[in-house]
């Protein structure tokens, strides 16, 4: 995927309330003890390789993005515009020995971008360095200011939303995969990020889960603004309508997105909500109907156009069988974004 | 209704995250140009009369709560513990000539409580007066700190939630009326406020709509904590599942409240969501089924136990006919909280 594949063709937002990051990135992975700790960096590298100029590792780093190695000054001299923290620090706090690196990045003129719980803008040293150098500290977990209450007014342009049976099973990668394939097929499509990793990959978006609940549907409206009639926004879903903590986010995102099309995401074999054995995932056709009912409120013409299965725990034969079963049950094409092509879904999307 | 009727018997909250206001109140209505501007004050007087010691009016005030007239010093000398701003200022800002009154209240040792968009804690003069006198400035529109993500774990005690076909049609007064009648019938019941007016009336609660969406269901869990098996929390509903801006609040409140019982609230004759003519209100039996389906996620035993109709635009005969029609359609008792008794609903609630 090239940076152009996921960069947006539309202006950042009708209302100017979503983030827009400067590219290319220097990916900071510090002294990551394992690849798992740097999964944000790997996600950015894999889904937006042309966004990434180099990696910056510190002594003791135990993983490797297989990118050119640069420090802040070298990256800046080679055209980098932002340092992106691609690692989750232990305990959530930014360690003291990282701060020197981040100050050096600010001194080299790079914006500093992070999606951490611990905010860059709460660190006095970083705030001083940013002010001194005229660079931005961007905490993509913080919602931008200026989000309004949803109007419910129908917007021009077309929208696809990924929805799921649970959290953390592939709604983001499903949307990224669809947006990439659509652009490769010559369709005018943008990926719209709703969580911090998606925002770092796309270079723009809005962290839905951090918005005050009264404004959550309004945030979704701002995220996919008015567009040309044939333009598609491919929107990253959040949570699940059957998740006892996060269904409010999911419903607000559905109503504000006004989707024309839904793709239902599920992990093959997952029987209940993670850590909630009492909440069983219903048959996928029932779940799809719940989502369609909710989405009809702001777009009565909404359709289910596909299923996305995370089959990472299955061998190839079992994966194919699971995909076939989902197609039989839902009567729409299915795919696994990390294994198979979404082309059949895209064909269905374009069929009247 | 006495203050005991709506005061809570349970501690403020399991997690300590809901407000608890000091009573009794001096109701400040300033120079209110009409009764409509002071509707918060009238609501407190009507639903929590024993909470209210006196009113404080300024020259030019054009309405009257028919309470003893006192200024801050006199009210404090007579036992008042908090000054509550019971009027919405024009333009949302606290006028300069009110600040002198509020500083005098702080100097008299009263807490100052408001549910305004303009925050008390943003005014340097008030902050200084509060610090000087050791009193609290309480903005009940701001959610308290320390709200956690919902667990979904079932809590002991019983809960009733009012749900509605739209905003602003009687969910708060329905809950207040039910809680009052239940306590009069000797049932251990507490009203649980979810909006600023309800919080001022009850002296505690949590402003659901101001919580970050990821924590909204968790806020609802904190609002109605573990209780005795026969204790009822009567929870003020918010928004509507069919409101394009606020359904996320509604769903989070449903999931976090884990209601055993729902009362469906509707304004007789309202055909569509206010200001949203395209969103028609479905037949009430369909709407009730939507709510029951959503509530079953965290409480499979949930029942519809009643309907509450706002019939304020109807004459008595038409009101009775509307209530009868709702009973026939929904097969549960109905009432109008400002006209008729909820006793039939309470009987149904106690039936197995």
């Amino acid at each position: 995927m090239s940076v152009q594949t996921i960069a947006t063709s539309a202006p950042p937002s009708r209302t100017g309330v979503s983030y827009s990051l400067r590219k290319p990135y220097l990916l900071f992975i510090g002294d990551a003890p394992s690849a798992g700790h740097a999964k944000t960096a790997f996600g950015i590298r894999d889904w937006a390789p042309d966004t990434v100029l180099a990696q910056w590792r510190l002594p003791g780093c135990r993983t490797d993005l297989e990118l050119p190695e640069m420090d802040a000054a070298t990256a800046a001299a080679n055209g980098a515009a932002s340092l992106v923290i691609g690692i989750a620090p232990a305990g959530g706090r930014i360690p003291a020995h990282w701060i020197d690196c981040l100050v050096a990045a600010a001194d080299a003129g790079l914006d500093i971008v992070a999606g951490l719980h611990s905010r860059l803008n709460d660190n006095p040293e970083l705030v001083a360095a940013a002010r001194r150098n005229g660079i931005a500290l961007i905490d993509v977990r913080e919602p931008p200011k200026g989000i309004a209450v949803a109007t419910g007014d129908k917007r021009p342009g077309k929208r696809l939303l990924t929805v799921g049976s649970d959290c953390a099973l592939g709604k983001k990668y499903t949307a990224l995969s669809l947006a990439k394939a659509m652009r490769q097929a010559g369709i005018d499509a943008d990926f719209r990020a709703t969580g911090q990793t998606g925002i770092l990959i796309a270079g723009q978006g809005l962290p839905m889960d951090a918005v005050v609940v009264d404004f959550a549907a309004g945030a979704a409206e701002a995220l996919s603004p008015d567009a040309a009639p044939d333009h598609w926004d491919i929107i990253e879903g959040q949570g699940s309508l059957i998740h006892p903590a996060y269904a409010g986010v999911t419903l607000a995102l559905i109503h504000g997105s006004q989707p024309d099309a839904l793709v239902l995401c599920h992990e093959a074999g997952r029987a209940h909500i993670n850590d909630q054995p009492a909440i069983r995932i219903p048959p996928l056709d029932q779940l799809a109907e719940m989502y369609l009912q909710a989405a009809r409120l702001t777009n009565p013409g909404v359709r289910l156009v596909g299923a996305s299965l995370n089959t990472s725990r299955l061998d190839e034969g079992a994966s194919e069988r699971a995909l076939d079963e989902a197609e039989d049950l839902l009567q729409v094409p299915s795919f696994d974004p990390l294994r198979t092509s979404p082309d059949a879904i895209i064909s269905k999307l374009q069929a009247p």
Side-chain angles (χ1 to χ4, degrees), chain A residues 2-259:
Chain A
S2 75
V3 58
Q4 285 74 26
T5 311
I6 55 152
T8 91
S9 58
S13 157
R14 176 177 56 166
T15 54
V17 298
S18 71
Y19 287 114
S20 192
L21 308 180
R22 291 202 299 144
K23 297 165 186 169
Y25 301 156
L26 171 63
L27 282 180
F28 180 81
I29 55 172
D31 39 9
S34 73
H37 287 78
K39 71 177 183 179
T40 298
F42 279 94
I44 297 170
R45 182 202 68 176
D46 291 345
W47 287 97
D50 287 8
T51 299
V52 175
L53 179 77
Q55 65 180 339
W56 188 4
R57 302 192 297 164
L58 299 180
C61 186
R62 294 233 175 131
T63 187
D64 188 349
L65 298 167
E66 293 173 8
L67 292 169
E69 303 267 2
M70 298 185 193
D71 62 11
T74 312
N78 281 278
S82 300
L83 177 146
V84 173
I85 300 181
I87 172 179
R93 289 192 154 211
I94 303 172
H97 66 286
W98 290 12
I99 299 290
D100 294 340
C101 299
L102 302 180
V103 169
D107 288 341
L110 303 182
D111 285 347
I112 304 174
V113 183
L116 307 177
H117 282 292
S118 178
R119 297 189 321 157
L120 301 170
N121 284 289
D122 286 343
N123 184 292
E125 256 187 282
L126 294 181
V127 169
R131 207 166 284 163
R132 192 167 66 235
N133 292 290
I135 61 95
L137 301 179
I138 302 174
D139 288 293
V140 298
R141 265 184 208 265
E142 286 284 298
K145 295 192 192 306
I147 295 169
V149 167
T151 65
D153 296 340
K154 189 84 183 69
R155 303 189 296 286
K158 294 184 191 302
R159 290 161 189 86
L160 180 150
L161 176 67
T162 58
V163 294
S165 58
D166 194 358
C167 300
L169 47 67
K171 292 186 287 292
K172 175 174 65 254
Y173 289 135
T174 299
L176 281 164
S177 173
L178 285 164
K180 176 181 175 183
M182 289 172 80
R183 291 177 75 106
Q184 283 172 343
I187 300 166
D188 185 18
D190 287 315
F191 169 69
R192 297 295 186 184
T194 58
Q196 65 266 16
T197 305
I199 295 170
L200 296 176
I201 290 172
Q204 70 157 37
L206 199 153
M208 271 300 295
D209 55 5
V211 174
V212 166
V213 59
D214 244 15
F215 298 92
E221 290 190 349
L223 178 72
S224 65
D226 291 16
D230 289 338
H231 175 273
W232 280 93
D233 272 333
I234 310 301
I235 304 164
E236 175 193 2
Q238 288 290 337
S240 171
L241 272 186
I242 59 166
H243 195 289
Y246 303 125
V249 187
T250 308
L251 187 60
L253 182 57
I254 292 170
H255 287 165
S257 297
Q258 307 174 348

